[in-house]
Amino acid sequence: MPAQRPLLFLDVDGPLLPFGAPPEQYPTYGATDPNPLLARLDPHHGPRLTALGYDLVWATTWVHEANESIAPRLGLPPSAVVTWPEPTTAEDDHDERNGLHWKTRTLITWAANRPFAWVDDEITPADRAWVAAHHRGPALLHRVDPRRGLTDTDYATLGEWSRETRRRSLPHTQGTA
């Protein structure tokens, strides 16, 4: 039986659409309609994401628009989308005081102990500690510099983690003599 592919929870703003540096530092890749930031979307991300060996899940405030505006420009099929719950003041205030990202709890619930990598530009040590305490499966929380977006180094890290996670989940068989 093949090993289950890990999930890749992927944010858009920061990892795929870099921001924060002067605009002239970013290459552009085509049309700017309807959102001028889409011109920064490097079409090479699509094949690179596909080659990583994950099941892609959009974990972004773009929500379903990621499948409508981002996926086609990258040559990706529509993917699952995390739908964010309405904020709850008490829980959100508590998480914010403790440095926990507002996405963290929802992603852990969505993963349901399945192996996952989360790529975002806002991951903190508090998120790492919370995931370690509340998620029984393997998890990689990978912070991307929003001024650069996903780089060769990020792809190498994500690819190695995916391969290693799948290798560890393969059933071990013993040969007979």
Side-chain angles (χ1 to χ4, degrees), residues 22-69:
E24 62 274 4
Q25 289 186 7
Y26 296 113
T28 56
Y29 301 94
T32 61
D33 292 331
N35 181 331
L37 289 180
L38 290 175
R40 295 183 187 170
L41 188 61
D42 182 345
H44 294 100
H45 284 306
R48 294 188 83 180
L49 289 166
T50 300
L52 288 174
Y54 290 87
D55 289 337
L56 178 64
V57 179
W58 296 112
T60 174
T61 56
W62 285 68
V63 202
H64 294 284
E65 193 177 345
N67 278 325
E68 297 161 13
S69 299

Side-chain angles (χ1 to χ4, degrees), residues 45-156:
H45 284 306
R48 294 188 83 180
L49 289 166
T50 300
L52 288 174
Y54 290 87
D55 289 337
L56 178 64
V57 179
W58 296 112
T60 174
T61 56
W62 285 68
V63 202
H64 294 284
E65 193 177 345
N67 278 325
E68 297 161 13
S69 299
I70 303 295
R73 286 176 167 84
L74 296 179
L76 296 173
S79 296
V81 176
V82 176
T83 303
W84 308 108
E86 290 298 319
T88 59
T89 306
E91 187 173 88
D92 292 342
D93 288 347
H94 177 266
D95 288 350
E96 187 175 334
R97 281 192 306 278
N98 291 312
L100 191 67
H101 195 286
W102 60 269
K103 293 179 181 178
T104 307
R105 290 178 186 269
T106 301
L107 295 180
I108 298 311
T109 300
W110 211 99
N113 293 316
R114 183 172 169 186
F116 74 87
W118 173 20
V119 176
D120 205 304
D121 59 302
E122 297 181 341
I123 294 170
T124 68
D127 299 308
R128 294 179 204 288
W130 203 89
V131 169
H134 294 91
H135 182 69
R136 291 185 302 197
L140 170 67
L141 278 63
H142 187 76
R143 186 182 182 285
V144 172
D145 182 342
R147 293 166 298 169
R148 291 187 179 87
L150 283 164
T151 65
D152 291 344
T153 302
D154 298 315
Y155 279 108

